[in-house]
Amino acid sequence: MFELSSEQFEKLTRKIYSQLGLQFEENKSYFLQKRVEKRMEKLGVDDPGKYLFMICYADPDGLEMQALANLITTNETYMFREYEQLAAFADYCLPEVLSNKEDRGERTLRIWSAGCASGEEPYTLAIILREVFPQSQFWDCGIVGTDIDQNVLNQAARARYGSRSVAEVPPEYLARHFIPNGGSSYTVRPSTAALVRLEHLNLNDRTAMRAMKNFDFVFCRNVLIYFDDRSRKMVVDHFYNALNSGGYIFLGHSESVGRISTAFKLRRFGPHLVYVKE
């Protein structure tokens, strides 16, 4: 056991912020300390000063920062989370985008699930797409799920989920899009999972973010709450550039696009308020 000094905590949080864009306040010192302890035990390092030197000055490829990021990012999620937003997407936004594309003779659709964790969100979007747009099998459709945590991306690639993750999936969807494994776990059917591609991505990496282009929808729900105002605005500006004209962005219920950026226009569809790039 050890305790990070105030100076060590400040140094470490500055490094994390510069690399990942994540902000850790003083009240998170115990949380961060326990994660650092796990990494020190794994590496056989018994002095926090030595660990700080390693991660700050002897990690040229960012491998240790990635290992620490895997421990300090929160990945709790489940299928069909925040259903009202998904209803706005399925009932209003998606039909509008598809209709506009058909009018232009286009047959491509791109959706980005940023901070996808273990994959529940992109697979949820794949299920919705298969259900409300059966013609998707004749289009070039793709959902990209990205996350900074390689461990959860590996879980997502297996597309296997326990009963808690699928508890909110409508029974008819569960029957059509999942294969029961016995016990209480399910695997997403290959025909649905095929819509999803998973990629490692740090939302604070400007170069990598600039490469994300030509999306019709961006979902980044309950991720930016871990960023400070400056990092949050930078990420949302990248989302704006990644979207096609007429594309929509969805943040979590506790987040507001309007408080972060004025670039998007607010629209009302029935009971739903959504943000669009005009």
Side-chain angles (χ1 to χ4, degrees):
M1 289 290 295
F2 70 90
E3 186 173 346
L4 287 169
S5 68
S6 296
E7 182 181 350
Q8 289 172 331
F9 177 79
E10 183 180 349
K11 186 174 184 178
L12 180 58
T13 54
R14 281 202 309 268
K15 181 66 175 177
I16 291 171
Y17 178 75
S18 69
Q19 294 293 110
L20 308 179
L22 302 178
Q23 186 78 39
F24 285 89
E25 303 295 343
E26 191 71 32
N27 61 357
K28 290 288 188 179
S29 61
Y30 180 77
F31 169 87
L32 191 56
Q33 178 175 304
K34 298 304 291 183
R35 273 64 184 172
V36 169
E37 280 183 11
K38 287 186 178 182
R39 288 305 305 155
M40 289 176 60
E41 182 179 351
K42 178 78 171 179
L43 296 167
V45 175
D46 57 6
D47 180 353
K50 291 180 180 177
Y51 180 79
L52 281 173
F53 181 87
M54 176 191 300
I55 201 167
C56 291
Y57 307 113
D59 187 32
D61 298 321
L63 298 179
E64 181 52 34
M65 180 56 74
Q66 177 63 60
L68 183 61
N70 292 349
L71 293 176
I72 64 178
T73 49
T74 303
N75 299 302
E76 183 179 2
T77 185
Y78 53 89
M79 300 273 186
F80 285 84
R81 186 179 187 180
E82 297 184 353
Y83 184 82
E84 286 301 310
Q85 282 191 328
L86 298 175
F89 164 72
D91 296 340
Y92 298 96
C93 305
L94 180 61
E96 179 191 82
V97 168
L98 293 175
S99 176
N100 289 339
K101 284 179 173 286
E102 286 184 323
D103 289 345
R104 297 192 298 267
E106 297 179 16
R107 295 292 184 272
T108 62
L109 184 73
R110 292 288 180 269
I111 303 173
W112 179 7
S113 170
C116 71
S118 46
E120 283 88 339
E121 181 174 83
Y123 290 125
T124 294
L125 296 172
I127 292 169
I128 292 172
L129 200 58
R130 290 297 194 214
E131 288 291 332
V132 305
F133 183 48
Q135 301 94 324
S136 62
Q137 60 183 313
F138 305 114
W139 280 44
D140 179 9
C141 296
I143 300 166
V144 179
T146 67
D147 203 276
I148 194 172
D149 185 340
Q150 188 61 56
N151 291 336
V152 294
L153 286 175
N154 292 340
Q155 294 176 37
R158 291 191 286 272
R160 183 167 179 159
Y161 298 97
S163 56
R164 184 186 178 282
S165 288
V166 303
E168 300 298 321
V169 178
E172 60 273 25
Y173 290 4
L174 191 66
R176 285 197 287 268
H177 298 280
F178 291 85
I179 301 170
N181 297 317
S184 59
S185 73
Y186 299 81
T187 298
V188 182
R189 290 189 182 276
S191 57
T192 302
L195 285 170
V196 176
R197 186 177 83 251
L198 301 165
E199 295 181 3
H200 179 264
L201 179 68
N202 178 355
L203 295 179
N204 200 49
D205 185 335
R206 290 174 171 82
T207 302
M209 290 288 279
R210 281 195 290 268
M212 304 295 285
K213 295 288 186 183
N214 301 318
F215 288 96
D216 301 295
F217 296 94
V218 171
F219 285 79
C220 186
R221 302 189 297 167
N222 307 301
V223 175
L224 297 182
I225 55 175
Y226 302 104
F227 289 65
D228 71 351
D229 290 344
R230 177 174 167 273
S231 297
R232 210 174 282 133
K233 185 177 187 315
M234 183 195 75
V235 172
V236 171
D237 286 346
H238 280 301
F239 288 155
Y240 183 87
N241 292 329
L243 278 167
N244 294 325
S245 180
Y248 288 88
I249 182 171
F250 291 87
L251 302 187
H253 278 313
S254 63
E255 304 161 310
S256 170
V257 177
R259 287 199 297 267
I260 301 171
S261 171
T262 59
F264 293 92
K265 300 301 181 183
L266 182 64
R267 294 186 64 186
R268 178 182 290 276
F269 286 117
H272 308 291
L273 295 174
V274 297
Y275 285 88
V276 62
K277 174 180 177 177
E278 291 188 339

